[in-house]
């Protein structure tokens, strides 16, 4: 017997084993461009999470490498993102003061717990969780989060201190703090904000008109936040506005690569953080898969949700190992990575290497970076996340989905991110059960001259006297079994000549115990009135379970492979 030999190459990710030299230029270019975009974002999102700026930088090195080794997307850019940063701040606020050592430790442990959950989900092959949250719920959650984030950054634009335990408290505090506004800070913040808005709206078109290719112009536009950061640093440093005008700046950012280490959380910490960690994991996973799939389809590539769980789980554990906080796939950076020519996750590895160089030798350049400029960067980034298009589409197509979106967004804004997302999930499940409890049922007849059967209310069809053929367009379970019984009784009451009730089960994928009991009682009740219950087009798995039950035994000889066979039964008028 031959023992399989182990090759070191087999342990490498598939993209690396089959790497082509032609891909290298695109990966290096994309890695460089994404790094320029990632530097201000990592600093800004750390501020949003209530963490020191270096923590955002730390979360932008090892997590990217870990995802490159285990993830399945060729172009997903992993790192700090706005929504995960807000969720981190919301999760930690009840247990520690933002910016303190205890707060940072909890953020690291939150990343570790979230990563461990994702790895466990991946090992259990729970990739279907990517479809657990509906698109309207995710859209509402992100929209509500964007509003909360934007409101929370206004204090940095104004240069004032306000409490921020809730959105309403923040707004009230901002109103009271208006007289203390630092006008220099406001000028820096508004200047950055106006520049970024104008750049987003007009810069790409202007660059195309002066001769740049549209693709290059779009990439240059995406780098506008870095330009705003550099200019604001220069202005503050040149006029020493941190001293002369009391402008709040980032200050000293420790130079040097993060020290690797892991402090395991105790049972008390796990009890405090498991729910926020789970929500961060689920929301981050769903959003990452959505972004990764949309980009993969453009290149006829495929995403493996189970591998995404492992990749994102490893990224979060790596973030904790290097002193970072929860990370996930970012939409804006992924789009830029794709557009810049990234062919494989090597682009992310290049970006991680460049970030390591920045952290090891260039953090001194961030000393004069004003918080107002970072706040402007965050506001412009999150405002684009407000999704009115999905709301408009859902409102015209499905009001229940639209109301789920609105309720989730309002829940996030008024009651916090955790309550908001749980409210959205509960509403989605409630709507699902409500719809299933009111299944569409149609009396069907034969289309003349065919073996096709259609709704008698929509088509001209032939019916058989004494035969009631009812198609049920839903699986039968506890929530809708009684509705089926009530509909049959109502139809029999309308037509007392009915002697056969035929249930067309072509859309029934499952019959649960409650529905089985209702059908059994219905069969007995109909038999006492001289009416037979029959089934047609029952799916194999459903019939496998029914055939050994009391109902299945009672219906022997009255289960037909097709509606046509039931209509053509000898003795049918």
């Amino acid at each position: 017997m031959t023992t399989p030999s182990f090759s070191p190459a087999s342990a490498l990710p598939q993209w690396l084993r089959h790497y082509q030299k032609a891909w290298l230029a695109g990966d290096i270019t994309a890695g460089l461009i994404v790094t320029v975009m990632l530097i201000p974002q990592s600093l800004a999102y750390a501020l949003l999470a209530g963490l020191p700026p270096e923590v955002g930088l730390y979360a932008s090195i090892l997590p990217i490498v870990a995802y490159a080794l285990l993830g399945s997307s060729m172009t997903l850019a992993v790192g700090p993102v706005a929504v995960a940063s807000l969720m981190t701040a919301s999760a930690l606020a009840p247990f520690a003061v933002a910016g303190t050592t205890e707060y940072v430790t909890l953020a690291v442990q939150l990343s570790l717990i979230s990563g461990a959950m994702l790895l466990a989900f991946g090992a259990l092959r729970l990739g279907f969780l990517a479809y657990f949250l509906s698109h309207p719920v995710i859209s509402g959650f992100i929209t509500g989060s964007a509003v909360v984030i934007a409101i929370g950054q206004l204090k940095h634009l104004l240069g004032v201190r306000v409490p921020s335990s809730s959105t309403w408290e923040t707004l009230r505090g901002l109103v009271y703090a208006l007289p203390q506004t630092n006008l220099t800070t406001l000028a820096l913040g508004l200047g950055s904000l106006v520049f970024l808005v104008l750049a987003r709206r007009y810069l790409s078109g202007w660059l195309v008109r002066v001769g740049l290719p549209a693709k290059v112009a779009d990439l240059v536009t995406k780098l506008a936040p870095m330009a705003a950061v550099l200019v604001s640093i220069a202005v503050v440093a040149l006029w020493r506005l941190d001293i002369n005008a009391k402008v709040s700046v980032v200050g000293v950012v420790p130079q040097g690569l993060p020290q690797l280490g892991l402090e395991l959380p105790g049972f008390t910490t796990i009890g405090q953080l498991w729910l926020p960690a789970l929500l961060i994991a689920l929301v981050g996973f769903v959003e990452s898969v959505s972004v990764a799939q949309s980009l993969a389809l453009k290149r006829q590539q495929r995403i493996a949700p189970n591998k995404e769980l492992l990749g994102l789980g490893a990224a979060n554990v790596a973030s904790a190992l290097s002193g970072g906080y929860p990370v996930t796939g970012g939409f804006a950076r992924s789009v830029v990575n794709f557009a810049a020519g990234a062919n494989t996750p090597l682009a992310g590895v290049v970006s991680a290497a460049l970030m390591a160089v920045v952290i090891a030798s260039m953090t001194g350049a961030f000393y004069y970076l004003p918080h107002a400029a970072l706040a402007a960067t965050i506001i412009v980034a999150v405002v684009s996340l407000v999704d009115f298009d999905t709301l408009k589409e859902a409102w015209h197509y499905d009001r229940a989905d639209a109301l789920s979106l609105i309720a989730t967004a309002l829940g996030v804004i008024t009651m916090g991110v955790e309550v908001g997302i749980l409210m959205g999930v509960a509403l989605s499940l409630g709507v699902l059960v409500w719809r299933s409890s009111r299944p569409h049922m149609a009396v069907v007849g034969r289309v003349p001259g065919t073996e096709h059967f259609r709704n008698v209310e929509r088509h001209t069809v032939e019916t058989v006297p004494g035969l009631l053929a009812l198609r049920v367009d839903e699986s039968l379970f506890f929530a809708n079994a009684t509705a089926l019984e009530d509909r049959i009784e109502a139809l029999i009451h309308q037509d007392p000549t009915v002697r056969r009730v035929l249930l067309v089960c072509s859309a029934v994928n499952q019959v649960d115990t409650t529905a089985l009991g209702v059908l059994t009682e219905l069969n007995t009740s109909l038999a006492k009135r001289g009416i037979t219950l029959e089934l047609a087009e029952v799916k194999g798995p459903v019939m496998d379970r029914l055939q050994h039950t009391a109902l299945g035994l009672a219906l022997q000889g009255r289960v037909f492979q097709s509606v046509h066979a039931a209509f053509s039964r000898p003795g049918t008028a």
Side-chain angles (χ1 to χ4, degrees), residues 162-412:
V162 297
S164 55
S165 60
S166 70
T167 303
W168 304 124
E169 188 176 341
T170 299
L171 287 172
R172 187 165 54 248
L174 286 169
V175 172
Y176 289 131
L178 278 176
Q180 286 80 47
T181 297
N182 185 312
L183 295 180
T184 306
T185 297
L186 180 61
L188 282 169
L190 286 182
S192 300
L193 193 65
V194 170
F195 167 74
L196 291 171
V197 170
L198 292 178
R200 172 168 290 195
R201 180 165 297 185
Y202 301 113
L203 182 58
S204 180
W206 180 80
L207 291 174
V208 169
R209 285 195 295 273
V210 299
L212 277 182
K215 184 177 179 181
V216 175
D218 189 53
L219 288 174
V220 172
T221 301
K222 294 292 194 299
L223 302 181
M226 190 63 183
V229 164
L230 293 175
V231 171
S232 64
I233 288 175
V235 170
V236 173
L238 185 61
W239 283 285
R240 293 306 308 271
L241 298 180
D242 56 319
I243 295 175
N244 297 327
K246 299 292 187 280
V247 171
S248 176
V249 296
V250 167
V252 176
V253 178
Q255 189 162 289
L257 295 174
Q259 293 184 346
L260 302 184
L262 211 54
E263 182 179 340
L264 297 178
F267 289 113
T268 301
T269 302
I270 293 175
Q272 293 170 336
L273 299 182
W274 74 267
L275 180 57
L278 176 63
L279 294 177
I280 290 172
L282 287 177
V283 171
F285 173 58
V286 171
E287 273 299 284
S288 295
V289 168
S290 176
V291 173
Q293 283 182 333
S294 66
L295 296 178
L297 287 174
K298 295 180 180 180
R299 294 182 179 173
Q300 291 74 53
Q301 297 171 343
R302 292 182 62 83
I303 297 301
N306 290 319
K307 288 196 69 176
E308 287 301 291
L309 283 168
L310 296 175
L312 292 171
N316 277 279
V317 171
S319 185
L321 183 65
S322 55
Y325 72 108
V327 297
T328 190
F331 175 75
R333 290 197 303 274
S334 297
V335 170
V336 169
N337 194 39
F338 182 92
N343 296 297
T344 71
L346 182 63
V349 176
V350 170
S351 179
L354 293 173
M355 288 297 293
V357 172
V358 170
I359 296 171
S361 58
M362 304 170 124
T363 55
F366 303 134
Y367 182 92
Y368 293 107
L369 175 57
H371 286 130
L374 290 179
T377 300
I378 292 172
I379 291 172
V380 172
V382 300
V383 165
S384 64
L385 300 178
V386 177
D387 191 358
F388 289 115
D389 290 338
T390 297
L391 175 59
K392 183 178 179 181
E393 181 181 352
W395 187 261
H396 288 295
Y397 182 74
D398 190 329
R399 294 287 173 87
D401 276 344
L403 291 174
S404 293
L405 189 158
I406 293 170
T408 304
L410 291 177
V412 170

Side-chain angles (χ1 to χ4, degrees), residues 44-52 55 80-100 102-104 106-108 110-111 141 145 148-149 152-153 155-156 164-166 170 272-273 276-277 279-280 324-327 378 412 415-418:
Y45 294 150
L47 171 69
L48 174 59
L51 294 162
V55 176
V81 299
V83 173
S85 299
L86 173 65
M87 296 180 76
T88 297
S90 175
L92 303 183
F95 309 117
V97 177
T100 61
E102 181 185 4
Y103 189 94
V104 174
L106 288 175
V108 171
L110 181 65
S111 182
F141 175 74
S145 297
V148 172
I149 290 169
Q153 295 307 301
K155 61 185 178 184
H156 297 295
S164 55
S165 60
S166 70
T170 299
Q272 293 170 336
L273 299 182
L279 294 177
I280 290 172
Y325 72 108
V327 297
I378 292 172
V412 170
M415 290 178 281
V417 292
E418 292 176 14

Side-chain angles (χ1 to χ4, degrees), residues 108-132:
V108 171
Q109 293 176 341
L110 181 65
S111 182
L112 177 62
I113 297 170
S114 182
M117 287 179 171
L118 286 166
L119 287 173
F121 294 158
L124 295 172
R125 305 185 67 80
L126 300 181
F128 63 86
L129 290 173
Y131 315 109
F132 180 70

Side-chain angles (χ1 to χ4, degrees), residues 23-41:
W23 296 342
L24 187 59
D27 284 339
I28 292 176
T29 302
L32 176 60
I33 291 174
V34 169
T35 301
V36 176
M37 188 178 183
L38 179 57
I39 291 171
Q41 285 192 348

